[in-house]
Structures are given as structure tokens and as C-alpha cells.
Amino acid sequence: MCAFHEWDGRRTVWIGLGVVIAAAIGLALFTYVGTLLFAIFLYYATRSLYGLLDRHVDHPNVTAVVTILLVVLPMVVVVGYTGIVALRELDQVLASSGLESYRSALDPYLTMAREGNVDRFRAALTSDTGRSITSVLRQGLPSVIERLSSVAGFVFAVLARFFLMVTLLFYLLRDDWKLRRWFTRSVDHDEEIVSFLEAVDDDLETVFVGNLAVVGVATVIAAGTYVGLNLLASGGPVVGTPVLLAFLIGIGTLIPAVGMKIVYVPYGLYLLVLAVATSTPLWQAIAFFALSFTVVDTVPDFFARSFLSSRSGVHMGLVLLGYFLGTLAFGWYGLFLGPIVVVFAVHFAHEVFPALASAFLSE
């Protein structure tokens, strides 16, 4: 639009319209900034997988859907199954330690976790014990509606964010080349700008893919360690669900500073409580802590992370600092925003700042 060079008034109008549009989009995205950043993280972490599948599947929509299913679906299954297993383990602890009062208070949830169905709930509704569904509705209809409304609102909010994340991830995977081509044309193929953003793009992929690889390495090592511990234990398995715990430990490596300790330390304390309250041997908790700290926590952190960081142009110490400070400054979504800011800052310092400083000092 060459008119921009001829009439400043028209240029001002177009710039003002662009600012209004950008502000509206920015406000909408800021409301769901955590969802947006999580989608960006998954995009960079799965872009290589999408490219690999795209070479064999000649349909972008199918390739994007398969990529999302291979990554997102296991995460949802692990989180849901973790909740069920956690309730079952809590039920066993309360039953064996004499804390029946707490167990009775949590009985509706523990029952569903033990049985894995709603048969008992259905029986309670149809039983003739004076608390039939009609009497319940008569006595507490307002409170029931209020609880259902709050639960429905929470479920809707979670599903809306999940749908937004999946939608963003789908179109980023399928149409990223269109976005890249549009931006390149918009800056008139400026070599300095394009090279800067390409370097940032490459390092973001390396950092996020590296983190996903560390998750995989930690998961495999933890699963092998805990399965081996169960095989060596003569008095029964030490870790009731070694594969599930390994998945959670792998995900825990993404958390800055604390890392996988947020998973295996509480589980080790749970084993200590079992040893004190029941006849479970104390050596099981000690062996679990020792193996978790020396094998599971050390190998992925010092070896796998160091190897993967050598492929990136950004120092791993700065990336870890970005994770830590990002989480402290912005909350949970700083876990994804922190590394992005660090990568931009490093490339700005290397490629842009020296030229700006030189031009400023020469004036």
C-alpha cells in the first residue's frame, strides 16, 4: 500500500486501526495466556514429530490430529488415572491405619475409586430407605442446584481451555508455514529480521524438544528402576504402580527448581507412613528414597539434560534460570514463558544489541 508514503493522515488511520485490532486480540489472548503458552510449548515439542509423520501421510489435517493424539491423549489418561489410583491408595491407608472417621467422610469418592463404576450410586438413588431421589429433591433442591452449577462451571472452564489449546496446537502444526511466509513478506524479506526470528525459532524447538526428551528419559529410567525394585522385594511390590509413578516423575522434570522431587518425595513419605502405621517393612521406604535420589533423579538431570543442552545455542543454565524466574514472576504459565523470554533475550544480546550500541556510540 504505497499510499502510506504519500499521505501521513491515511497512514495514521491505518496504524490506529491496527492498534485497536491488536489490543482486542491481545486482551482476548491475555485472558487465556496460560493456555496459549502451553499450546506453543506443545507445538515446538511436537513439530519434529509432525514433520516426520507428514513425510509419510499426505494429508495435513490427519497428520496434525495424529500428532495431537499421540501427545495430548496420553497426558489426559495419565492425569485421570492418577486421580483414581491416588484415591485407591488413600483408601488403603485409611483402612489399615484406623482412621475410619476420615474414611467415612471420603467414602463417596473412595467407593467410586474402588469399584470403578457408578453401580452403588445408582443403587442409592433407587433404594427404598427413606432417602429416595424424591425426598432428596424436596429437602435439598436449592443446594443441589447450586453444587451442580458450580461443578458445571468448573467443568466447562476446563473443557473450554482444553479445546482452545487443542485448536491452537492443531493450526500451529498445520499452518505454521503460512504464518512464516506471511511474516517474511510483511517485512519485505529483511535478512536481519528473518535471520533473528529463525534463530529464535530453532532454539525454541531445541529447548522444548530437549525438555520433552528429558521427560521420556526420566520416565524410562524411573520405570525400570521401580520395576526392578519390585522384582527384588520379597515381601510384595514396593511401588504399587511403577509405570504410572514413572510417568508422573517424567512430567515432574518440567517443574523448575524442585523437579521430579515433587513426585517421588511425597510417595516416599507415603511409604514411611505405611511402615509406621502398618506392618510394611521400613527398608522399602529407605530403598525407594535411595534409588530415587541416586539413579532416577541423577541420571536424567546430569547426563541427559547436559547432552541435550549442548545442541542448543542457549546455555542450559540460562534456560533453567528462565524456568525458575518465569514461574516465580508469572505463575504456572511462567514455566513456558520463561524459556521463550530467555531465548529472545540471548539472541537479541548477540545479534541486535551490539549493532544498536555501536550506532548509538558513533553518534
Side-chain angles (χ1 to χ4, degrees):
M1 304 183 70
C2 59
F4 285 165
H5 303 288
E6 301 172 0
W7 187 23
D8 288 340
R10 179 177 295 180
R11 183 191 306 176
T12 303
V13 172
W14 282 114
I15 292 176
L17 178 61
V19 169
V20 171
I21 295 174
I25 296 175
L27 181 62
L29 292 179
F30 181 77
T31 305
Y32 300 99
V33 62
T35 305
L36 172 64
L37 290 171
F38 189 56
I40 293 175
F41 161 72
L42 289 177
Y43 161 70
Y44 279 108
T46 59
R47 189 168 66 178
S48 299
L49 176 60
Y50 174 84
L52 179 64
L53 294 175
D54 190 50
R55 289 194 290 269
H56 298 86
V57 180
D58 190 20
H59 200 296
N61 290 340
V62 175
T63 306
V65 170
V66 172
T67 303
I68 292 173
L69 289 178
L70 289 176
V71 176
V72 177
L73 186 60
M75 295 173 59
V76 175
V77 172
V78 167
V79 171
Y81 186 65
T82 300
I84 296 176
V85 172
L87 285 174
R88 289 177 177 174
E89 296 292 334
L90 178 61
D91 180 42
Q92 294 178 5
V93 172
L94 295 179
S96 60
S97 58
L99 300 176
E100 290 296 332
S101 59
Y102 298 97
R103 192 187 185 202
S104 60
L106 298 173
D107 186 69
Y109 310 100
L110 298 176
T111 301
M112 292 184 66
R114 288 195 301 268
E115 299 178 358
N117 53 51
V118 294
D119 290 341
R120 185 171 177 177
F121 177 71
R122 187 184 300 111
L125 290 180
T126 57
S127 63
D128 188 19
T129 58
R131 288 190 57 83
S132 64
I133 186 170
T134 303
S135 62
V136 170
L137 291 177
R138 287 176 179 175
Q139 295 175 11
L141 183 59
S143 61
V144 170
I145 293 178
E146 182 179 355
R147 291 180 181 180
L148 288 177
S149 299
S150 61
V151 171
F154 173 77
V155 171
F156 176 78
V158 172
L159 291 179
R161 283 168 170 78
F162 180 77
F163 176 78
L164 177 60
M165 183 269 295
V166 171
T167 303
L168 289 171
L169 177 59
F170 175 84
Y171 286 108
L172 282 174
L173 288 172
R174 195 192 69 173
D175 299 327
D176 57 349
W177 64 274
K178 295 181 180 179
L179 182 63
R180 189 179 297 109
R181 185 178 63 181
W182 163 80
F183 183 82
T184 303
R185 290 178 176 176
S186 299
V187 298
D188 198 22
H189 299 274
D190 186 283
E191 183 178 352
E192 185 176 1
I193 297 176
V194 172
S195 63
F196 171 78
L197 291 180
E198 285 181 349
V200 169
D201 183 69
D202 291 340
D203 274 344
L204 283 177
E205 181 177 3
T206 301
V207 168
F208 286 137
V209 169
N211 287 333
L212 198 63
V214 170
V215 171
V217 171
T219 300
V220 172
I221 293 176
T225 301
Y226 297 142
V227 169
L229 179 61
N230 287 344
L231 293 176
L232 294 176
S234 57
V238 178
V239 180
T241 54
V243 176
L244 175 63
L245 186 64
F247 271 113
L248 295 177
I249 283 177
I251 296 173
T253 59
L254 295 173
I255 301 176
V258 179
M260 64 179 70
K261 294 180 181 64
I262 198 172
V263 178
Y264 75 75
V265 168
Y267 195 88
L269 294 176
Y270 160 76
L271 293 178
L272 283 176
V273 171
L274 284 182
V276 172
T278 67
S279 59
T280 303
L282 181 61
W283 71 263
Q284 293 187 358
I286 298 175
F288 175 83
F289 268 121
L291 289 174
S292 297
F293 181 76
T294 58
V295 178
V296 179
D297 201 352
T298 301
V299 175
D301 194 48
F302 285 94
F303 295 96
R305 196 183 296 274
S306 299
F307 171 75
L308 293 168
S309 66
S310 62
R311 302 172 53 223
S312 173
V314 182
H315 193 277
M316 182 52 63
L318 290 177
V319 175
L320 294 177
L321 190 63
Y323 279 118
F324 184 70
L325 292 179
T327 306
L328 291 179
F330 303 108
W332 71 268
Y333 60 83
L335 181 65
F336 312 111
L337 181 59
I340 295 175
V341 173
V342 166
V343 171
F344 269 95
V346 168
H347 284 282
F348 184 88
H350 280 295
E351 302 172 24
V352 179
F353 179 77
L356 291 178
S358 178
F360 177 78
L361 294 175
S362 62
E363 293 182 355

